[in-house]
Amino acid sequence: MRRHGILVRRLDAIETLASVGMVCFDKTGTLTLNRMSVTTVAAGERLYHAWDGAFVDPDGTAITAEADPRIRTLLAIACLCSETEIDEQEGRPALTGSATENALVQVALDSGVDARALRREFPRLSVQHRSEAYRFMATTHARGGGILVAVKGSPSEVLARCRWEGLPDGGRRDLTAARRAEIEGLNARMADQALRVLGFASRDIGTADPGHAEAAIEDLTWAGLVGMADPVRPGLRELMQTLHRAGLRTVMVTGDQGATA
């Protein structure tokens, strides 16, 4: 091991090395480069490909976030329900945060959303981080005399907490069982392309009591889905083949959906 440049700090850590039969790999940042980029957005009944600040539908028609209120709402939630810090370097926005949240804020900026102005308009009151019990993140924001709740996370968990779906005119409609099935189908299509998929939703609460808002992450209005690509590290296929030839079983560990993995 020394000839291969490997130093061992604790001998007992390698005493049973010869009996290893399985190697577990974390996916994001280990098997992948952890360089997230938004590639697909589902707003309403359609899938759009994110491209250079615009969104292209299956017919090849490009629209902007300004032209589609549903996309604009989705991107606003992504900017608010985020801990990415937005600074400025050499006249351009510089993002500091997780790869996932940076990618979401970046696509909003590329689409013409003024994320910093949005955050000033809706100052954050509280944060509920994603956890093993709740696979979503929720933030509360002051909105006039009330509160705006912004939620992003596991599509199925966010969808389960939604009662409504947003409409292009700013209104909403009941989220029927048939429509929920359509959204689950869109989620599956995106995950089958190895995309990390997040669901987005929000709620307006007519009271300025943050404690009430934290307990009311339900009856949400569904906004849509965002799919992000994360390139696999070079040489990974060859590494797996080497391990398999040695008789080792390899396991991917991830919080993403099974289809994405």
Side-chain angles (χ1 to χ4, degrees), residues 133-156:
Y134 299 101
R135 296 179 60 208
F136 57 82
M137 175 182 177
T139 54
T140 61
H141 305 264
R143 182 171 188 168
I147 286 178
L148 171 67
V149 181
V151 181
K152 79 170 188 296
S154 162
S156 59

Side-chain angles (χ1 to χ4, degrees), residues 182-206:
E182 290 177 359
I183 293 171
E184 291 285 9
L186 288 171
N187 172 42
R189 285 172 58 187
M190 295 166 71
D192 282 343
Q193 299 172 25
L195 300 178
R196 165 173 282 184
V197 187
L198 295 177
F200 294 79
S202 65
R203 180 183 178 185
D204 285 314
I205 299 177

Side-chain angles (χ1 to χ4, degrees), residues 53-173:
F55 300 89
V56 182
D57 68 16
D59 300 326
T61 303
I63 64 170
T64 63
E66 185 63 31
D68 192 318
R70 292 173 298 186
I71 294 179
R72 191 165 64 249
T73 296
L74 191 158
L75 295 178
I77 296 171
C79 290
L80 293 174
C81 189
S82 169
E83 293 190 298
T84 285
E85 296 181 4
I86 308 172
D87 299 311
E88 191 168 308
Q89 291 181 0
E90 299 179 355
R92 300 188 62 183
L95 306 182
T96 304
S98 71
T100 295
E101 292 193 338
N102 285 356
L104 292 169
V105 173
Q106 186 63 60
V107 75
L109 294 173
D110 292 343
S111 304
V113 175
D114 190 336
R116 282 175 288 192
L118 193 66
R119 291 178 173 183
R120 288 193 297 268
E121 183 180 358
F122 304 104
R124 188 168 65 196
L125 300 174
S126 67
V127 180
Q128 177 180 311
H129 291 102
R130 177 184 173 121
S131 66
E132 188 174 343
Y134 299 101
R135 296 179 60 208
F136 57 82
M137 175 182 177
T139 54
T140 61
H141 305 264
R143 182 171 188 168
I147 286 178
L148 171 67
V149 181
V151 181
K152 79 170 188 296
S154 162
S156 59
E157 291 206 20
V158 175
L159 184 61
R161 292 173 177 266
C162 290
R163 180 180 176 185
W164 318 93
E165 180 177 22
L167 296 174
D169 62 3
R172 63 185 186 182
R173 65 183 177 189

